[in-house]
Amino acid sequence: MNLNEESLQKIAELSRLKIDPKDIQNFLTDFNKVLNYVDTITELNVSSVSDEDLYPNEGNSLRADKTVEGLNRSQIESFAPSFQNGYFVVPKVIET
Amino acid sequence: MKELWKLKYSDIKKGLNSGEFTPIELAQSLVSRIEAEDSKIKAFLSWEKESILKAAAESTERRKSGNPLSEFDGIPIGVKDNICIENTITSCASKILENYRSPFHATAIEKLLAKGFVLIPRANMDEFAMGSSTENSAYQVTKNPFDTARIPGGSSGGSAAAVAASFVPVALGSDTGGSVRQPASLCGIYGLKPTYGTVSRYGLVAYASSLDQIGPLSKDIDGIIDVYSVISGKDQRDATSKNIPAFDPSKVKELPWKGLKIGKMKITSEIEPDIAKAYESLLAELESKGAQLVDLDFSLLSNSIPIYYIIATAECSSNLSRFDGIRFGQRKDPSGKLEDLYVTTRSEGFGKEVQRRILLGTFSLSAGYYDAYYGRAQKARVLIKKEYEGYFSKVDLILQPTSPTTAFKVGEKTSDPIQMYKADILTTSVNLAGVPAMSVPIGTDSKGLPIGLQITAPALHEDKIFGFAKMISDWASKVELPETIK
């Protein structure tokens, strides 16, 4: 199958990505090449695979219910782009 | 100064333990080698001479006082830039994490430090481990030490080139679809993708969580066995970690030639003739020693790249959503609106290949396409696992070339993503099945470029791979690592 520009833009929006308008044709060409290549899987017969095969019951992998040391505030502050008074700072999201 | 950088891993270990030289002498020799030659290879994104020499000096003191942390104390190890080291930049060769300093060690790193290994970060890589040539790094292209006009393979190309160029005797890479084995093959060294779940992924920046696995690269088999024995074993911090102890090196034994059943593949037109010749001549030699060759039908595995790309990109789309400019790394905030912050940060921070894979993953997970692509790929993955179970009911090991080509030229495949993806055509099925495989050097082509053999075993049978690799070590010794770099 081939995606058109509108569909690609929709997927980019869902991915929180913006494709530069001057790159869009190249991106679309490359993306469709890849899509056509992986498209071969739509022809594979997978009817023999059951849900049990797909989600084998290997049991839960749970840790003991114990408190362990995590990152402290100064460590978080050191790698956060913007951090104030114990909070990550983001642009205003509520209009007043 | 002694040219200790020339030594292979096993000689380095022997020399340190016999007192022939000290960790600081060794580190100084390697640092000089890196200083002199890395401008031609560009294996490292950055490296801190002072911290390497400080760690080596501390190791020297421990050895002098008779209290080494282990028999490995003072052995230098290169580290790929997607494995977290506390207070060290872990950028994944991406602009989006340009200045990100990890606040913690990966479990594999903790284990290596506990044994006294001297860390040499940050080996270059394809951005977020996405690529087969190390040309997708946001910072630099790593060159193949055998021919600097050529690529070292990817995505662990920095780690592989660092070992082949004798900057380090051993290094850590990560393998999602062949990213340890393919560069190992193209650089004439050993590279292991362990059984999924045997090495903790805690602290390995995720690309595709159900496929990623940290693995060692080394100039000799002993380096692989030792590092794997140190980094493997159950980790409470990784829910996909198997409940098994660390690998016991005493389990490695040479196998009896007589009756050894080896699965082989039919050579296709995609395999370069020199590689096919080296592979066929090795098989003929093995048969003459008493091994039994069994033809296997790999027709399902020929679909593994499409299956791999659907699953890997779906997981990548999900994993990389955490890079939004809020909590990590870079932030671009052009308009003061939250949505623009996300979009601009990610669009400027991720390179083209990463963006392409995020888009493909988002597409295959989106309503209307999920069943046809992602759902179907997951079912096809089960068939691949079953295919391997069927093979291993008939044979002890499977042998294939690791890569269909030897190292290609820089820029040769960058304009065609499909040609680049096909570089991993022989390796991706191993990740889908979760079984272990290792690339071993077995010769060179007519241009003098290395050829690798991929040895695949049933899950948790790394011991068979190692035993067999020792049995064919004569072939590996034919590949001379470059002392001086062209």
Side-chain angles (χ1 to χ4, degrees), chain B residues 119-130:
Chain B
L119 305 179
I120 308 193
R122 314 164 34 222
N124 193 28
M125 56 186 281
D126 283 306
E127 186 179 356
F128 282 102
M130 298 178 196

Side-chain angles (χ1 to χ4, degrees), chain B residues 321-461:
Chain B
S321 64
R322 76 189 60 167
F323 300 107
D324 56 7
I326 304 296
R327 292 156 297 167
F328 305 94
Q330 297 287 304
R331 168 182 287 198
K332 304 282 179 187
D333 190 4
S335 67
K337 291 182 185 160
L338 188 63
E339 186 66 22
D340 288 350
L341 186 162
Y342 294 147
V343 172
T344 311
T345 298
R346 289 165 62 79
S347 303
E348 292 185 14
F350 291 134
K352 280 206 166 56
E353 181 58 31
V354 175
Q355 293 194 28
R356 187 154 51 217
R357 294 194 195 196
I358 291 173
L359 290 170
L360 181 61
T362 305
F363 165 79
S364 66
L365 290 173
S366 62
Y369 298 108
Y370 182 95
D371 288 339
Y373 289 90
Y374 184 72
R376 183 173 283 267
Q378 286 288 29
K379 288 187 172 175
R381 181 180 188 170
V382 172
L383 295 180
I384 295 229
K385 280 185 185 172
K386 288 186 173 178
E387 193 82 356
Y388 272 101
E389 284 166 13
Y391 297 151
F392 288 122
S393 67
K394 293 184 211 146
V395 301
D396 299 300
L397 294 165
I398 298 170
L399 302 186
Q400 292 165 280
T402 309
S403 166
T405 70
T406 52
F408 45 91
K409 288 198 168 151
V410 171
E412 192 178 323
K413 296 188 181 182
T414 43
S415 60
D416 187 346
I418 304 301
Q419 286 310 310
M420 190 66 88
Y421 295 175
K422 282 185 174 174
D424 292 333
I425 199 160
L426 300 166
T427 51
T428 48
S429 58
V430 162
N431 301 73
L432 291 168
V435 294
M438 184 167 75
S439 185
V440 176
I442 55 162
T444 50
D445 69 2
S446 57
K447 300 185 203 79
L449 300 167
I451 294 169
L453 175 80
Q454 177 172 242
I455 309 165
T456 308
L460 302 175
H461 279 289

Side-chain angles (χ1 to χ4, degrees), chain A residues 51-65:
Chain A
D51 283 352
E52 288 75 30
D53 288 330
L54 208 49
Y55 306 108
N57 184 13
E58 290 175 348
N60 289 323
S61 179
L62 300 174
R63 286 188 295 233
D65 187 14

Side-chain angles (χ1 to χ4, degrees), chain B residues 112-382:
Chain B
L112 289 169
L113 288 173
K115 299 288 183 188
F117 279 89
V118 173
L119 305 179
I120 308 193
R122 314 164 34 222
N124 193 28
M125 56 186 281
D126 283 306
E127 186 179 356
F128 282 102
M130 298 178 196
S132 308
S133 66
T134 313
E135 291 169 288
N136 288 340
S137 164
Y139 302 102
Q140 62 192 28
V141 175
T142 298
K143 309 291 170 58
N144 192 310
F146 283 83
D147 178 351
T148 51
R150 293 173 189 273
I151 55 93
S155 66
S156 308
S159 301
V163 172
S166 303
F167 299 154
V168 285
V170 63
L172 289 186
S174 67
D175 192 316
T176 307
S179 283
V180 164
R181 288 158 287 152
Q182 186 253 11
S185 173
L186 270 44
C187 288
I189 58 171
Y190 292 79
L192 172 73
K193 198 294 281 183
T195 304
Y196 183 78
T198 58
V199 177
S200 171
R201 289 183 301 105
Y202 180 78
L204 168 68
V205 180
Y207 157 24
S209 312
S210 76
L211 302 160
D212 298 337
Q213 197 70 165
I214 294 175
L217 300 106
S218 175
K219 287 182 189 175
D220 59 24
I221 182 66
D222 289 348
I224 301 286
I225 297 172
D226 282 355
V227 171
Y228 181 57
S229 69
V230 170
I231 65 175
S232 56
K234 174 71 183 168
D235 181 12
Q236 289 291 339
R237 293 177 292 193
D238 174 1
T240 60
S241 158
K242 283 191 192 302
N243 195 13
I244 50 150
F247 180 75
D248 176 2
S250 70
K251 278 172 70 184
V252 179
K253 290 184 178 62
E254 293 202 0
L255 312 168
W257 283 114
K258 200 167 165 49
L260 183 65
K261 289 183 186 159
I262 289 172
K264 72 181 184 84
M265 65 177 281
K266 193 176 164 197
I267 291 295
T268 61
S269 58
E270 281 154 321
I271 313 286
E272 283 181 352
D274 282 356
I275 295 175
K277 203 171 138 195
Y279 174 66
E280 299 282 11
S281 80
L282 175 79
L283 291 179
E285 182 82 16
L286 301 182
E287 199 168 25
S288 74
K289 286 174 183 285
Q292 189 185 333
L293 304 183
V294 179
D295 288 309
L296 297 179
D297 174 12
F298 287 103
S299 51
L300 178 63
L301 301 194
S302 65
N303 287 294
S304 63
I305 292 192
I307 299 165
Y308 166 82
Y309 273 96
I310 295 292
I311 291 174
T313 59
E315 293 182 19
C316 132
S317 163
S318 171
N319 275 326
L320 270 59
S321 64
R322 76 189 60 167
F323 300 107
D324 56 7
I326 304 296
R327 292 156 297 167
F328 305 94
Q330 297 287 304
R331 168 182 287 198
K332 304 282 179 187
D333 190 4
S335 67
K337 291 182 185 160
L338 188 63
E339 186 66 22
D340 288 350
L341 186 162
Y342 294 147
V343 172
T344 311
T345 298
R346 289 165 62 79
S347 303
E348 292 185 14
F350 291 134
K352 280 206 166 56
E353 181 58 31
V354 175
Q355 293 194 28
R356 187 154 51 217
R357 294 194 195 196
I358 291 173
L359 290 170
L360 181 61
T362 305
F363 165 79
S364 66
L365 290 173
S366 62
Y369 298 108
Y370 182 95
D371 288 339
Y373 289 90
Y374 184 72
R376 183 173 283 267
Q378 286 288 29
K379 288 187 172 175
R381 181 180 188 170
V382 172

Side-chain angles (χ1 to χ4, degrees), chain A residues 15 18 30 39 41 44 89, chain B residues 331 346-347 362 373 376:
Chain A
S15 307
K18 184 178 181 194
D30 279 353
D39 223 20
I41 77 153
L44 276 181
V89 179
Chain B
R331 168 182 287 198
R346 289 165 62 79
S347 303
T362 305
Y373 289 90
R376 183 173 283 267

Side-chain angles (χ1 to χ4, degrees), chain B residues 7-35:
Chain B
L7 300 177
K8 290 193 175 184
Y9 173 89
S10 46
D11 295 324
I12 282 177
K13 184 177 163 192
K14 210 181 291 170
L16 286 173
N17 288 318
S18 67
E20 192 187 327
F21 49 83
T22 62
I24 189 71
E25 287 174 318
L26 173 64
Q28 280 165 342
S29 179
L30 291 173
V31 161
S32 302
R33 170 80 174 163
I34 298 171
E35 276 177 332

